[in-house]
Amino acid sequence: MAATKPENLSLVVHGPGDLRLENYPTPEPGPNEVLLKMHSVGICGSDVHYWQHGRIGNFVVKKPMVLGHEASGTVMKVIVLPLSLVSPEKLMNSARLADTTCHHPSSSVPHPLTMGTSAGFISTMPTSATRALIEPLSVGIHACRRAGITLGSKVLVCGAGPIGLVSLLVAKAMGAAQVVVTDLSASRLSKAKEVGADLVLQISKETPQEIASHVEGLLGCQPEVTIECTGAESAVQAGIYATRSGGTLVLVGLGSKMTSVPLVHAATREVDIKGVFRYCNTWPMAISMLASKSVNVKPLVTHRFPLEKALEAFETSKKGLGLKVMLKCDPNDQNP
């Protein structure tokens, strides 16, 4: 995109601990691109990680990077108009593009969306802060699909953060009979109960085996599916011990590069361990779930800040206050 007017307040990470509000030039969309006016952007744990550490996993900040991928906004300009898109519809952007060089159905490549996006990957809906949650909701959909959740499933979700709770919402919408959610935080477990968890378990100093035993006691059986959303080594271990023989453990949380797990325990009980990296081909379902009110993500948004107070918003998110922190980008529209 070619740059034009310098009136585009942006949140930019320059390296570990270096987060700045800067005016970037407003881009001019090129062929098959649209220009978006952001309405709401959710702060993701990965955004905080980039700010604090300058990287997450193998993704390293090598030059100034505009943060924000959980976004909803309005199409301001379209260069090539797909038949399915009418400007100026409200929309959410997808942070991934399909990798056409790979045949694996889950394969996709990162596509950072800062000032514009490919018109072919735009979804139209009335804009709001909750629409920005379609991106994390997609993670929950992908995790539940990978897990094979269906009617009557008994499910353990490790972690009551935003990704844990969207996984809970999707699991229930897909027909899970019972979902138990674990976390260290009593307030987050209270929110889990509010949005549909059948059972919750607050973790303190229990061993992974003890956690697994408590989960089995709550459910009356071992869960067929465990969705691990923390990345903590002890939680991954607990997930292996807790999951029913022949069941599935899905790893959503990203933790240490090397993790010690009871792999033989999983192998001898034929517990399938599956990885999840973001999502693929989930947006139609996510949009349908919101449109049909099959899920309600609105309670997940606990804090809202104008873009001008983004640094304060990031501090709030880093401290683990509330659940989902939302940035409101339009000074003329600060409504939820």
Side-chain angles (χ1 to χ4, degrees):
M1 289 191 177
T4 54
K5 298 184 296 182
E7 298 176 355
N8 184 17
L9 188 62
S10 305
L11 187 64
V12 186
V13 62
H14 287 256
D18 188 357
L19 188 64
R20 312 177 198 175
L21 278 167
E22 300 177 339
N23 274 313
Y24 267 36
T26 300
E28 185 65 27
N32 200 36
E33 291 183 333
V34 295
L35 181 67
L36 312 181
K37 181 180 181 181
M38 290 294 97
H39 176 275
S40 300
V41 181
I43 298 177
C44 176
S46 64
D47 295 323
V48 175
H49 216 79
Y50 279 126
W51 164 43
Q52 290 292 289
H53 306 286
R55 66 182 300 156
I56 181 167
N58 293 326
F59 299 94
V60 181
V61 177
K62 297 180 180 178
K63 59 183 180 180
M65 180 175 73
V66 178
L67 290 178
H69 56 271
E70 300 179 4
S72 70
T74 304
V75 175
M76 302 305 291
K77 186 179 290 187
V78 181
I79 298 302
V80 177
L81 184 65
L83 294 177
S84 60
L85 183 64
V86 179
S87 179
E89 290 278 4
K90 313 294 185 173
L91 56 89
M92 298 70 56
N93 60 30
S94 172
R96 302 186 69 132
L97 295 179
D99 181 356
T100 57
T101 66
C102 182
H103 298 292
H104 191 284
S106 293
S107 295
S108 44
V109 293
H111 180 62
L113 297 171
T114 54
M115 301 175 198
T117 186
S118 169
F121 291 84
I122 294 300
S123 305
T124 60
M125 281 185 75
T127 195
S128 71
T130 55
R131 300 304 187 257
L133 289 176
I134 281 184
E135 198 275 345
L137 181 62
S138 284
V139 177
I141 291 171
H142 189 46
C144 290
R145 281 178 174 173
R146 295 273 286 155
I149 290 175
T150 186
L151 290 172
S153 296
K154 303 287 184 71
V155 180
L156 165 63
V157 175
C158 300
I163 296 302
L165 294 194
V166 293
S167 298
L168 157 67
L169 290 171
V170 175
K172 295 296 287 186
M174 288 184 171
Q178 285 185 298
V179 180
V180 56
V181 179
T182 63
D183 202 279
L184 298 168
S185 167
S187 62
R188 289 196 166 192
L189 289 175
S190 177
K191 179 64 73 171
K193 286 287 287 183
E194 177 188 333
V195 299
D198 300 283
L199 302 156
V200 296
L201 176 63
Q202 187 171 7
I203 306 301
S204 55
K205 298 180 180 179
E206 297 88 349
T207 66
Q209 294 94 328
E210 289 171 338
I211 293 169
S213 179
H214 290 323
V215 169
E216 183 175 1
L218 287 171
L219 287 173
C221 64
Q222 291 181 303
E224 295 105 327
V225 169
T226 296
I227 301 177
E228 204 300 297
C229 301
T230 72
E233 182 176 271
S234 60
V236 177
Q237 294 168 352
I240 290 176
Y241 287 124
T243 306
R244 181 182 303 181
S245 296
T248 302
L249 168 64
V250 176
L251 302 179
V252 183
L254 296 178
S256 301
K257 193 170 184 178
M258 297 296 291
T259 301
S260 176
V261 297
L263 197 58
V264 171
H265 191 82
T268 56
R269 297 195 305 110
E270 298 188 352
V271 173
D272 292 339
I273 300 175
K274 297 184 178 182
V276 162
F277 185 61
R278 299 179 184 163
Y279 43 79
C280 188
N281 301 323
T282 55
W283 284 61
M285 178 180 282
I287 292 168
S288 295
M289 290 179 111
L290 286 190
S292 65
K293 296 182 168 43
S294 299
V295 297
N296 179 18
V297 296
K298 192 172 182 179
L300 305 188
V301 181
T302 56
H303 292 74
R304 297 174 177 85
F305 292 85
L307 180 58
E308 291 76 11
K309 293 185 177 181
L311 301 182
E312 182 182 344
F314 266 69
E315 287 288 348
T316 299
S317 187
K318 184 186 78 170
K319 293 174 183 176
L321 302 177
L323 199 64
K324 176 58 67 177
V325 179
M326 195 70 66
L327 291 172
K328 310 296 294 182
C329 301
D330 186 350
N332 300 316
D333 183 4
Q334 295 291 301
N335 295 320

